[in-house]
């Protein structure tokens, strides 16, 4: 459900690079379509079918369950904190990396990619090691009675960590390709740093930013592994939608599980739609930017 | 966009702040019970009963929060700081771990409540498909060729360890205490296991929902629950000639409960498990009550008579069994080879 | 409002690589000076240091006697035109030119009507009347170049710095723009320092020429001075081509030179 895999924008169809016959082509396309249908489409349909197995009434009833509502609320809250945070920090990091020269830049680049390359479970465990009762900061936190893991702040932190690269990864290449001359021009024209950022830098990357935010959001709502480690699974309190789905499923409440799953899948599909729209918009902008030089 | 972003930051910060504060600022008291997998349905009912009883006695409205998961995993979370007021786990060994690693409850926690702090017991039975197509009657049938056995991984699941020990006890008795041959028998048994789930509930879903395997080695209460959830006609319970007495213990995590000001209600909560009403609810939810006198006779009639070995008498207690069988490199690691 | 620019012993290194090794140069108020030199000789770096976009390790830049080191980029009031125009790609031509005026602090920002008048006036000056609603992508190279110039002029700069203003254009357009720029300079009288690769361009346009090599100014002087008395063997070989071409041009094009245009 988590949409972690990047789908590269297929902006243009390349000219025919190979000389396969039409038959080969048809077979290859057929295989790809069949594969997608079996691997992606069928499971998705199953989710919605299972949710509806006992009819619409039962489906809607399962959304009346206070624990389910709490899980939906928590997921939205976590996304509402993690996504804007990552958007702002990702933007700042990309800006620093793309527009300035400084020591440790490569290290920062590697760090940004780190959450992609380590397992989400480890991302979660890192926080247990940091904030757990026996972690580095555990005793200090306990002294001040601050609860980080097994509470909402821990879930937010784990989500922030796992979804951090989405915005920065989207922005850095674009900002690098755009260079610094527009900003420098703005500065010589007397614009302040803020004015330059909001009037020149930001408008130039707004579509990419939005695209990164959408990917980030999809993952933030769908993240299971890292959140599972720091959640504590307290019903109605620290279960996000993905965790709650597992719980419902384990309680033989299949309709309930698939009802929440289809809501999550629905949100993901919406995100995907918005993303495709942006890809289409964004491809146009990129092509225009390329033409200009 | 800038306006939107700035406002979202403010909102986010406010939300974070609120959630930080919420842990302490709730008006009503909330008690957190960290439990293992198969107790979900029981504690759902029991919590409502206790809250009503507490309200009647003290006038206070109490919220009981539940967390369920594999017993070992849950113990780990409490050690790492999950603020459990009470733990109700599958094995004494897991609570021992909490006691020694966190120091939040005394080492002799098991002495604080009757019957080694186990308010209900259970045992291990077999669940087979309708009409028992492979004709499984006893442990001996599980090692036959072509029989697929579903049981979780004893390294991660408390229930799985009970399953393993029950099987061991049977084999050891049949083979006259010959340890080498018992080991071989156990190895044969696990060769018939196609999927080792991490928890008891996972194995149950594998067997009942996904339709894998011919027989599920299961908690007695889980087996009854499957019959209830999936229709009594679809599955049959088979009681083996010999099984094990499982005593899931409970304890107050004093360090947490005291810090949260919940000590009184946490103690009352566990005492209520031993009350006539608590015992009755346990029986209703397929746990064997330690004091059957107030349980519904119809509920009690569902529990078959079976010869039970005991972890303390027959295996020398959990600490010994853990070291001998389940520690890294111990017997289970020696005999178990994944088949695919 | 033009001021003289004095550059004193400017030094700039990138990592270990010295790009400017003690450069000194005087540009008088209203003068048009060409900066000539092979690729990598430090021309862009010198321009950027004067504009304040690079921090030199040593040396001084003075605008009419004031140390530029004490001035912010805004206070320097430099009209800088980049090699690649660097137009704001998401803004229309009008907004590009108006940018510098709108970026001023509220107190000194002209009213929108005045901004509009000023932009239209500049558009007329650079001969782009009627193109204010276009995006940069919808302009030709020469048109973009002139938008960049108009944008730089909008802030009433005290000094104009042009980095290879015609570098990316084809030969014909360059020639047109060259003449146009000369005319513009005569009318506006900005102190102007412009970088070029093209020796003909330098000799035709500039009041004086500064020749840079390996981060050092090799010679500064009028066309006649440099062609007449090359200061170093490097300059001698550097301008050899021009001298020969000029001689040839005088022979072959004389009869048509005026009639052609
Ligand atoms: N940001 C930088 N980092 C490292 N080295 C640089 C940087 N900018 C310029 N240099 C180096 O400084 C030297 C001078 O560069 P500069 O851009 O001033 O040359 P130029 O005379 O403008 O060349 P061109 O005619 O090719 O534009 C070059 O060797 C260049 O490699
Ligand atoms: Mg240059």
């Amino acid at each position: 459900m988590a949409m972690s895999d990047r789908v590269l924008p297929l902006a243009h169809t390349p000219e025919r690079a190979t000389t396969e016959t039409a038959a080969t082509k048809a077979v290859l396309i057929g295989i790809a379509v069949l594969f997608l249908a079996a691997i992606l489409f069928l499971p998705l349909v199953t989710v919605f079918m299972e949710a509806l197995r006992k009819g619409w009434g039962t489906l809607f009833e399962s959304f009346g369950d206070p624990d389910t509502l709490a899980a939906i609320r928590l997921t939205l809250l976590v996304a509402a904190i993690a996504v804007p945070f990552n958007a702002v920090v990702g933007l700042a990091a990309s800006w620093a990396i793309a527009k300035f020269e400084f020591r440790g830049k490569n290290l920062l680049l590697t760090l940004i990619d780190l959450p992609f390359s380590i397992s989400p479970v480890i991302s979660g465990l890192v926080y247990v090691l940091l904030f757990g009762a026996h972690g580095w900061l555990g005793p200090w936190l306990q002294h001040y009675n601050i609860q980080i893991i097994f509470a909402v702040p821990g879930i937010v932190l784990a989500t922030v960590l796992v979804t951090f690269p989405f915005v920065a990864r989207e922005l850095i290449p674009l900002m690098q390709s755009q260079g610094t001359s527009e900003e420098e021009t703005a500065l010589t024209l007397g614009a302040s740093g803020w004015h330059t950022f909001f009037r020149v830098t930001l408008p130039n990357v707004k579509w990419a930013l939005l695209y990164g935010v959408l990917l980030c959001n999809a993952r933030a709502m769908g993240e299971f592994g890292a959140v599972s480690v720091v959640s504590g699974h307290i019903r109605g309190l620290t279960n996000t939608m993905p965790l709650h789905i597992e719980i419902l499923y384990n309680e033989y409440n299949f309709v309930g599980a698939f009802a929440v799953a289809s809501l999550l899948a629905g949100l993901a599909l919406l995100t995907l739609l918005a993303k495709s729209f942006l890809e289409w918009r964004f491809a146009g902008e990129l092509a225009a930017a390329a033409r200009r030089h | 966009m800038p306006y939107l972003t700035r406002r979202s930051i403010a909102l986010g910060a406010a939300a974070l702040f609120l959630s930080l504060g919420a842990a302490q600022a709730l008006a009503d008291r909330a008690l957190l019970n960290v439990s293992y997998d198969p107790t979900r349905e029981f504690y759902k009912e029991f919590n409502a009963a206790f809250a009503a009883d507490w309200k009647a006695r003290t006038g206070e409205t109490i919220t009981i929060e539940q967390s369920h998961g594999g017993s070992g995993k849950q113990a780990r979370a409490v050690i790492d700081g999950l603020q459990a007021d009470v733990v109700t786990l599958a094995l004494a060994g897991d609570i021992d771990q909490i006691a020694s690693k966190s120091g939040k409850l005394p080492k002799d926690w098991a002495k604080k409540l009757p019957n080694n702090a186990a308010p209900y017991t259970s045992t291990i039975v077999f669940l087979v498909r309708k009409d028992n197509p492979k004709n499984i009657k006893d442990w001996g049938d599980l090692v036959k060729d072509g029989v697929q056995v579903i049981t979780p991984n004893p390294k991660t699941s408390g229930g799985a360890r009970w399953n393993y020990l029950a099987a061991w006890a049977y084999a050891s008795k049949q083979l006259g205490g010959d340890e080498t041959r018992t080991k071989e028998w156990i190895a044969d048994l696990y060769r018939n296991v196609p999927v080792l789930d991490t928890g008891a509930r996972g194995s149950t879903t594998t067997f009942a929902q996904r339709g894998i395997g011919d027989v599920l080695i299961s908690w007695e209460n889980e087996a009854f629950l499957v019959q209830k959830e999936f229709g009594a006609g679809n599955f049959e319970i088979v009681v083996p000639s010999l099984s094990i007495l499982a005593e899931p213990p409970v304890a107050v995590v004093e360090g947490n409960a005291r810090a949260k000001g919940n000590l009184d209600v946490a103690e009352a909560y566990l005492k209520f498990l031993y009350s006539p009403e608590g015992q009755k609810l346990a029986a209703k939810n397929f746990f064997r009550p330690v004091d059957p006198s107030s349980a519904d006779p119809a509920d009690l009639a569902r529990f078959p008579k079976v010869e039970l070995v005991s972890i303390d008498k027959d295996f020398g207690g959990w600490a010994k069994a853990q070291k001998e069988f389940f520690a890294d490199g111990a017997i289970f690691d020696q005999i178990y080879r994944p088949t695919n | 409002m033009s001021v003289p620019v004095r550059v004193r012993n400017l030094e700039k290194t990138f990592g270990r690589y010295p790009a400017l090794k003690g450069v000194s140069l005087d540009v008088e108020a209203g003068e048009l000076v060409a900066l000539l030199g092979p690729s990598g000789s430090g021309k862009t770096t010198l321009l950027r240091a004067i504009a304040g976009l690079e921090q030199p390790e040593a040396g001084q830049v003075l605008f009419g006697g004031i140390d530029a080191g004490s001035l912010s980029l805004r206070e320097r009031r430099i009209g800088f035109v980049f090699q690649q125009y660097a137009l704001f790609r998401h803004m229309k031509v009008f907004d590009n030119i108006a940018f510098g005026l709108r970026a001023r602090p509220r107190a000194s920002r002209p009213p929108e009507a005045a901004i509009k008048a000023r932009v239209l006036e500049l558009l007329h000056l650079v001969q782009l009347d009627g193109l204010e609603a276009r995006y940069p992508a919808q302009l030709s190279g020469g048109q973009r170049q002139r938008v960049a110039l108009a944008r730089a002029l909008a802030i009433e700069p005290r000094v104009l710095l042009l980095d290879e203003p015609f570098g990316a254009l084809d030969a014909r357009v360059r020639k047109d723009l060259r003449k146009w720029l000369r005319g513009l300079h005569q009318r506006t009288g900005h102190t102007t320092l412009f970088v070029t690769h093209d020796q003909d361009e330098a000799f035709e346009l500039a009041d004086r020429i500064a020749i840079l090599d390996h981060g050092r100014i090799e010679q500064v002087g009028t066309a006649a001075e440099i062609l007449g008395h090359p200061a170093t063997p490097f300059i001698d070989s550097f301008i050899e081509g021009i001298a020969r071409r000029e001689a040839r041009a005088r022979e072959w094009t004389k009869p048509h030179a005026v009639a052609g245009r």
Side-chain angles (χ1 to χ4, degrees):
Chain A
M1 213 119 323
M3 310 205 329
S4 53
D5 357 12
R6 278 281 324 264
V7 184
L8 288 173
L10 293 169
H12 359 252
T13 354
E15 317 83 90
R16 285 197 57 177
T18 50
T19 51
E20 272 93 22
T21 62
T24 325
K25 198 169 124 189
V27 168
L28 285 174
I29 293 176
I31 291 174
V33 169
L34 267 179
F35 178 80
L36 284 180
I39 296 289
L40 291 175
F41 190 66
L42 274 184
L44 211 57
V45 170
T46 320
V47 167
F48 289 107
M49 299 241 304
E50 283 287 333
L52 282 171
R53 211 166 48 164
K54 292 188 185 158
W56 288 95
T58 328
L59 177 68
F60 285 126
E61 254 167 50
S62 47
F63 287 117
D65 174 29
D67 289 346
T68 300
L69 286 177
I72 296 171
R73 256 199 313 270
L74 179 62
T75 300
L76 295 180
L77 172 74
V78 168
I81 300 171
V83 173
F85 178 86
N86 274 344
V88 171
V89 178
L91 189 58
S94 317
W95 197 36
I97 284 173
K99 310 276 177 177
F100 299 102
E101 284 303 326
F102 55 92
R103 222 178 272 201
K105 185 161 156 173
N106 282 329
L107 184 72
L108 188 60
L109 261 174
T110 316
L111 281 179
I112 286 177
D113 269 345
L114 204 60
F116 269 175
S117 46
I118 57 175
S119 154
V121 177
I122 297 174
S123 305
L125 278 177
V126 167
Y127 285 113
V128 175
L129 289 179
L130 264 181
F131 301 123
H134 300 277
W136 290 358
L137 298 174
W140 185 85
L141 290 170
Q142 259 172 344
H143 184 255
Y144 290 98
N145 201 11
I146 302 172
Q147 188 75 15
I148 302 268
I149 55 165
F150 308 123
V152 176
I155 296 173
V156 171
L157 283 174
T159 308
V160 164
L161 178 67
V162 171
T163 59
F164 181 71
F166 286 97
V167 171
R169 271 284 115 197
E170 221 41 68
L171 291 183
I172 290 170
L174 181 65
M175 282 185 161
Q176 273 175 337
S177 79
Q178 287 180 345
T180 54
S181 55
E182 284 185 43
E183 279 86 358
E184 286 182 338
T185 306
L187 291 174
T188 62
L189 289 171
S192 66
W194 281 118
H195 192 89
T196 304
F197 180 75
F198 284 118
R199 293 298 151 85
V200 177
T201 309
L202 203 53
N204 273 344
V205 298
K206 64 178 178 230
W207 292 112
L209 178 64
L210 217 58
Y211 183 85
V213 161
L214 278 179
L215 286 176
C216 178
N217 183 55
R219 179 64 185 270
M221 293 195 302
E223 174 57 24
F224 180 87
V227 167
S228 174
V229 175
V230 297
S231 146
H233 307 276
I234 307 171
R235 303 196 57 141
L237 224 56
T238 62
N239 280 323
T240 59
M241 278 161 80
L243 300 183
H244 193 60
I245 291 169
E246 196 204 22
I247 286 181
L248 290 173
Y249 184 81
N250 278 341
E251 283 175 0
Y252 309 114
N253 184 352
F254 300 116
V255 170
F258 284 106
V260 184
S262 49
L263 178 64
L264 197 57
L267 287 171
L269 281 180
L270 263 182
T271 310
L272 205 69
L273 268 179
K275 188 182 75 109
S276 309
F277 171 75
L278 285 183
E279 243 158 35
W280 167 72
R281 265 305 306 248
F282 182 35
E285 292 235 328
L286 265 189
R291 243 182 284 125
R292 223 158 285 153
H293 292 291
Chain B
M1 174 60 89
Y3 170 68
L4 186 78
T5 312
R6 250 175 288 167
R7 203 175 58 168
S8 323
I9 299 170
L11 270 178
L16 191 70
F17 188 76
L18 281 179
S19 61
L20 270 170
Q24 301 138 30
L26 278 178
D28 291 329
R29 285 201 291 174
L31 187 78
L32 175 57
N33 175 4
V34 172
S35 191
Y36 66 117
D37 263 328
T39 60
R40 295 161 196 259
E41 291 74 15
F42 166 57
Y43 278 110
K44 206 175 212 166
E45 247 182 286
F46 176 81
N47 290 346
F50 173 74
D53 180 72
W54 184 259
K55 173 114 187 163
R57 274 191 292 150
T58 66
E60 184 190 10
T61 307
I62 187 96
T63 313
I64 293 141
E65 291 156 359
Q66 277 298 142
S67 169
H68 294 276
S71 188
K73 200 179 101 194
Q74 294 290 76
R76 185 73 241 174
V78 174
I79 292 166
D80 283 331
L82 181 57
Q83 298 289 305
D85 295 288
V86 300
V87 285
T88 54
L89 296 178
L91 324 167
D94 287 329
I95 302 187
D96 284 338
Q97 289 285 330
I98 301 174
S100 68
K101 295 231 164 73
S102 77
K104 283 180 176 169
L105 65 169
K107 288 223 158 51
D108 64 346
W109 58 270
K111 304 233 160 62
K112 304 245 159 171
L113 289 164
N115 191 39
N116 280 332
Y120 39 76
T121 68
S122 190
T123 186
I124 300 300
V125 297
F126 303 156
L127 192 68
V128 297
R129 299 190 189 281
K130 187 179 177 180
D131 298 331
N132 197 359
K134 295 271 164 109
N135 197 25
I136 288 157
K137 295 269 184 264
D138 204 352
W139 291 102
D141 299 318
L142 303 193
V143 294
K144 287 184 179 157
D145 282 344
V147 173
Q148 285 200 321
V149 180
I150 302 297
T151 177
N153 187 347
K155 305 284 277 189
T156 56
S157 155
R161 281 175 231 173
W162 292 110
N163 295 356
Y164 175 101
L165 292 176
W168 183 278
Y170 168 86
S172 176
K173 189 175 164 199
Q174 290 287 310
L175 303 167
D178 182 334
E179 184 169 330
T180 321
R181 286 177 58 206
T182 306
K183 268 196 210 173
E184 278 163 17
W185 189 94
I186 291 279
D188 285 344
L189 173 66
Y190 278 89
R191 235 188 306 278
N192 279 351
V193 179
V195 195
L196 271 189
D197 286 289
T198 55
R201 196 44 76 86
S203 283
T204 311
T205 358
T206 297
F207 180 76
Q209 167 78 356
R210 290 165 58 201
I212 298 174
D214 303 307
V215 51
L216 172 74
I217 312 179
S218 164
W219 289 106
E220 183 178 55
N221 61 304
E222 279 284 284
F224 279 118
L225 193 63
V226 169
Q227 283 196 321
K228 191 171 133 196
E229 291 288 339
F230 292 85
N234 292 326
F235 297 96
E236 288 175 18
I237 291 174
V238 172
V239 181
S241 64
L242 178 94
S243 192
I244 192 162
L245 175 70
E247 298 182 299
V250 301
V252 174
V253 186
E254 290 172 20
N256 291 342
R258 192 174 294 119
K260 289 160 77 180
N262 283 347
L263 205 52
D264 57 336
V265 64
E267 277 165 357
Y269 181 81
L270 293 189
K271 279 218 185 75
F272 195 66
L273 283 169
Y274 292 87
S275 73
E277 194 173 356
Q279 292 289 300
K280 191 176 157 176
L281 284 177
K284 186 179 167 208
N285 283 284
F286 315 112
F287 288 98
R288 297 182 179 214
V290 290
D291 172 17
S293 60
S294 50
D296 189 336
D299 288 340
L300 292 177
R302 297 181 299 195
F303 299 121
K305 291 261 177 301
V306 53
E307 184 191 344
L308 297 173
V309 297
S310 137
I311 179 84
D312 288 326
K313 287 194 207 87
D314 300 86
F315 291 94
W318 263 115
K320 184 159 175 285
Q322 175 71 24
K323 209 163 116 201
E324 195 176 332
F325 295 106
F326 309 118
D328 283 331
I331 294 180
F332 181 75
D333 281 345
Q334 296 162 25
I335 58 116
Y336 182 68
R337 297 272 171 281
T339 43
N340 45 5
Chain C
M1 260 306 281
S2 286
V3 294
V5 178
R6 315 232 174 276
V7 178
R8 295 274 170 272
N9 295 314
L10 224 48
E11 302 206 7
K12 173 75 194 171
T13 50
F14 291 109
R16 289 241 189 82
Y17 181 86
L20 298 178
K21 307 179 209 169
V23 171
S24 298
L25 178 68
D26 288 349
V27 184
E28 300 308 328
E31 196 183 18
L32 181 60
V33 171
L35 205 52
L36 194 58
S39 186
S41 56
K43 306 181 294 289
T44 298
T45 309
L46 176 58
L47 238 53
R48 290 172 58 85
I50 296 172
L53 293 170
E54 266 348 315
Q55 295 300 318
E57 281 92 43
Q60 245 188 340
V61 178
L62 301 163
F63 290 134
I66 301 169
D67 185 352
S70 64
L71 301 176
S72 69
L73 258 71
R74 172 185 288 158
E75 289 161 342
R76 288 186 192 216
R77 291 247 309 280
I78 300 274
F80 198 110
V81 176
F82 284 79
Q83 221 161 331
Q84 295 291 343
Y85 328 126
L87 294 181
F88 304 128
R89 66 194 83 192
H90 64 282
M91 289 182 204
K92 290 180 175 160
V93 166
F94 185 98
D95 300 313
N96 261 282
I97 299 174
F99 185 90
L101 296 174
R102 287 177 176 159
R104 283 189 191 168
R106 204 175 293 273
S108 60
R109 194 185 307 158
E112 200 55 29
I115 292 179
K116 183 166 182 200
R118 175 86 178 123
V119 170
L120 293 180
E121 179 193 324
L122 282 163
L123 271 171
H124 183 68
L125 183 71
V126 298
Q127 298 169 1
L128 291 175
D129 302 84
L131 296 189
E132 62 267 25
R134 297 245 186 120
Y135 280 97
Q138 300 164 320
L139 298 176
S140 76
Q143 289 169 333
R144 287 179 211 170
Q145 184 59 60
R146 281 179 281 158
V147 173
L149 204 60
R151 180 177 64 180
L153 292 173
I155 60 164
E156 289 162 8
R158 297 190 296 183
V159 177
L160 258 185
L161 301 176
L162 314 177
D163 194 355
E164 305 206 30
F166 314 128
L169 305 176
D170 69 54
R172 243 201 71 128
V173 184
R174 291 171 78 114
K175 276 213 159 131
D176 285 353
L177 279 174
R178 207 186 281 173
K179 260 169 76 185
W180 172 81
L181 182 65
R182 181 79 240 184
L184 184 78
H185 180 255
Q186 265 158 12
R187 262 178 295 154
T188 56
H190 287 103
T191 309
T192 306
L193 186 58
F194 80 98
V195 167
T196 177
H197 255 107
D198 183 332
Q199 297 149 357
D200 295 333
E201 200 165 279
F203 282 84
E204 193 186 315
L205 258 177
D207 298 323
R208 283 190 305 146
I209 297 146
I211 297 177
L212 209 60
D213 185 36
H214 286 106
R216 273 203 187 85
I217 301 259
E218 296 278 326
Q219 189 173 7
V220 186
T222 61
E225 282 165 4
I226 291 178
L227 288 174
H229 308 278
T232 64
F234 163 77
I235 300 205
D236 201 29
S237 62
F238 191 67
I239 60 171
E240 203 179 350
I242 309 174
R244 223 185 292 126
R245 241 177 299 148
E246 293 229 316
R248 234 182 301 153
R250 266 192 295 280
E251 268 170 38
W252 291 355
T253 58
K254 229 176 229 163
H256 315 285
V258 185
R261 283 273 151 134

